[in-house]
Amino acid sequence: MKKIVITGGKELHGKIRISGAKNAAVAIIPAVILSDGVCRIENIPNIMDVNLMANILHQMGATVNRVNKTTLEIDPTRINKPEAGYELVRKMRASCYLLGSLLGKFSEARVALPGGCDFGVRPIDQHLKGFGVLGAENSVSEGMINVKAEHLRGGHVYLDVVSVGATVNIMLAAVKADGKTIIENAAKEPHIVDLANFLNSMGADVRGAGTDIIKINGVKHLNGTTYSIIPDQIEAGTYMAAAAATQGDVVLQNVITKHLESITAKLREMGVQIEEYEDCVRIRNSGRLHKCNIKTMPHPGFPTDMQPQITALLSIADGTSIVNEAVWDNRFKYVDELKRMGAKISVEGRIAVVDGIESLNAAPVKATDLRAGAAMIIAALSAKGTTYIEDIQYIERGYEDVVEKLTSLGADIKVVYTEDSVIHHTA
Ligand code: EPU
């Protein structure tokens, strides 16, 4: 078994470069299917989820050429079936974006039901509602979702909940539909804006992305393009939290500080010093962190994808903090792992009450999902002793070169391979 081993207590110092945004990349790669030419995508993070998505397109008939570590050239013109293979697709949540892009291209799609991190129920009713407004019927058979439209046409969609995935999928289906689509109560995340910019660079007509009303005028053709993905807001936030946890002094290069505002505001409230520059940010912390309350919200609120990492920080802050998870039903599974390290946290439904302690102690723990894994890393960097983190495949899904980046900042971190688990969990 592969594990990350961290001996805590080293202050992080130095500079690292933030990679391209995972959640933008996993929307933009399927969007390439809509193009009638070759797309060159730069600043792609070299992580499992992105490589999986590129492999899915390859299996569907696209030519995928890795120009260098962070650039892919994809020629989708040989994709001629509106179907995506079962095995790879069911491994990741974002594969449901293939529904939107195949529907946009062929007016029909057949894609396996999506997998991904487990935070309770992850419905796609809003995606299907949007497709319905565009004229597509849906059905499920043999673990696959089928959507099909006789005539894909624009329509007015009002989302009942703000959903990143539904907003992406409806945009993908609508860019080549006949006429105008309006998405109200749309998600406003930076990766939604990035997807809109990518689609527009192919010749689409998408306006209003980043506000809660997106207007799309369907076009007949989309051309190939060259596009560079935005930096990853959550990767940056994770390293900000790691710097704060270790009393470090770290500069993160290749960031968009505007995207980090909600994270920066909370870290400042906790006593962390943050200096913002044009495309980098410096994080310094020298004292005990202060308590603070967090409520996760869709953008521009505090991102749910930073909730576990910030809870790890609050577990060593001075005082009692309340963390309210308002996006997902069940995103506190990792709390049991933090408790192994001595954290004092009680969870009741969507609320965690975090009683900060002086310091955490090393323990064998596991990553229960991607961001939970990031929280374990932050906890371990600050803890006394040597922590073993299992199930690091979740971390590898979303963080490029995490061990190398932290090593370059002075962390004592490595990957080891062992025969079997050191953790004995009870049911
Ligand atoms: N929801 C519905 N119906 C739907 C879709 C969503 O009720 O049809 C609900 C969900 O149950 C949830 C809320 O709406 O309570 C928000 O879900 P959303 O659709 O926005 O989430 P997602 O698109 O599945 C993306 C990110 C997640 C991130 C969420 C929220 C990608 C690939 N994934 O998921 O990222 O937590 O938005 O910001 O973009 C991560 O990167 O670690 C990650 C899990």
Side-chain angles (χ1 to χ4, degrees), residues 360-372:
L360 297 168
N361 290 310
V365 292
K366 60 177 181 176
T368 53
D369 62 59
L370 167 61
R371 308 302 175 189

Side-chain angles (χ1 to χ4, degrees), residues 173-381:
V175 279
K176 289 181 82 179
D178 206 0
K180 182 171 189 165
T181 298
I182 297 177
I183 311 172
E184 290 209 53
N185 201 24
K188 300 186 282 239
E189 270 63 9
H191 33 287
I192 300 285
V193 179
D194 211 34
L195 173 64
N197 288 341
F198 172 72
L199 291 168
N200 287 342
S201 80
M202 295 201 294
D205 182 357
V206 181
R207 296 167 197 211
T211 74
D212 46 20
I213 304 182
I214 298 178
K215 295 181 180 159
I216 301 161
N217 285 308
V219 296
K220 289 259 176 290
H221 298 288
L222 293 173
N223 45 260
T225 185
T226 295
Y227 190 81
S228 182
I229 287 182
I230 51 165
D232 197 305
Q233 165 207 22
I234 305 299
E235 189 200 16
T238 301
Y239 286 107
M240 289 167 86
T246 60
Q247 319 265 310
D249 183 352
V250 169
V251 173
L252 303 177
Q253 296 169 311
N254 187 39
V255 297
I256 297 174
T257 51
K258 177 93 190 134
H259 296 168
L260 300 174
E261 272 174 352
S262 62
I263 302 166
T264 301
K266 280 294 160 189
L267 289 175
R268 283 192 174 134
E269 212 178 308
M270 294 170 74
V272 181
Q273 281 172 272
I274 298 175
E275 293 162 35
E276 295 169 331
Y277 300 95
E278 201 177 307
D279 62 354
C280 67
V281 66
R282 179 176 181 189
I283 305 97
R284 278 183 292 165
N285 180 35
S286 50
R288 178 109 188 255
L289 296 162
H290 311 312
K291 65 174 177 146
C292 91
N293 297 336
I294 305 274
K295 181 172 182 179
T296 65
M297 301 282 274
H299 192 78
F302 189 86
T304 171
D305 294 342
M306 274 300 296
Q307 182 263 100
Q309 300 91 312
I310 211 85
T311 303
L313 268 191
L314 293 172
S315 73
I316 49 167
D318 191 8
T320 301
S321 310
I322 310 285
V323 179
N324 183 343
E325 173 53 57
V327 177
W328 295 110
D329 284 338
N330 185 4
R331 206 175 191 171
F332 284 122
K333 278 191 197 155
Y334 68 90
V335 162
D336 282 342
E337 302 302 309
L338 277 184
K339 282 183 177 171
R340 289 175 202 284
M341 302 178 74
K344 288 204 176 126
I345 306 174
S346 58
V347 176
E348 185 71 48
R350 287 175 169 224
I351 307 275
V353 178
V354 188
D355 275 321
I357 56 172
E358 279 284 335
S359 79
L360 297 168
N361 290 310
V365 292
K366 60 177 181 176
T368 53
D369 62 59
L370 167 61
R371 308 302 175 189
M376 291 309 127
I377 290 180
I378 292 164
L381 288 169

